[in-house]
Amino acid sequence: MGWAKLVWHPSCISKHALYLWLAILGALRTLDKLSHLGILPSACCMFNCGGNESVDHLFFAFPYTQHIWIEVLSKCNIYRQILCWPEEVQWMADHARGNKPP
Ligand SMILES: *[C@@H]1O[C@H](CO)[C@@H](O)[C@H](O)[C@H]1NC(C)=O
Ligand SMILES: [Zn+2]
């Protein structure tokens, strides 16, 4: 549970914390899950990029959102390759100091 301090910290915004928590638990209702449950016929990403929508795709693998994440990291003077979602969470947990996000 090294990630708990990333989600719940004194300056967190509750709505953001909730979504981050759901994403870490793999509980966000992305199209891949809805299609797996038979609720939707396809998990095809709505941006027509050819991929399936998952947390990893939506926030990290899709070029537009990947660009946003690269920008956020560069504002923190961090220059590195984007990892997959579980590795990003681990990386953040390893690099967070005290009870504040980096
Ligand atoms: C998307 O999901 C479908 C059904 O699970 C699968 O058959 C297809 O190969 C996937 N496409 C990609 C690009 O991963
Ligand atoms: Zn896509």
Side-chain angles (χ1 to χ4, degrees):
M1 298 282 255
W3 50 261
K5 64 187 175 190
L6 296 174
V7 179
W8 314 110
H9 53 85
S11 52
C12 76
I13 297 167
S14 55
K15 199 171 193 177
H16 296 179
L18 176 66
Y19 280 102
L20 179 57
W21 184 58
L22 290 174
I24 290 174
L25 293 180
L28 282 180
R29 288 185 196 144
T30 42
L31 298 184
D32 60 336
K33 289 213 196 63
L34 297 178
S35 122
H36 189 75
L37 293 171
I39 295 168
L40 287 176
S42 136
C44 219
C45 170
M46 299 219 201
F47 295 100
N48 273 323
C49 67
N52 285 333
E53 186 190 283
S54 62
V55 166
D56 207 33
H57 181 79
L58 207 54
F59 298 118
F60 293 92
F62 183 59
Y64 182 75
T65 49
Q66 196 170 69
H67 177 76
I68 293 173
W69 189 228
I70 288 170
E71 280 293 306
V72 169
L73 289 177
S74 80
K75 297 238 183 288
C76 303
N77 288 315
I78 296 164
Y79 301 92
R80 60 159 174 81
Q81 277 222 295
I82 301 300
L83 310 166
C84 68
W85 173 239
E87 288 173 351
E88 285 288 344
V89 171
Q90 191 56 53
W91 188 91
M92 287 187 282
D94 291 345
H95 290 77
R97 281 183 222 108
N99 61 1
K100 290 202 170 122

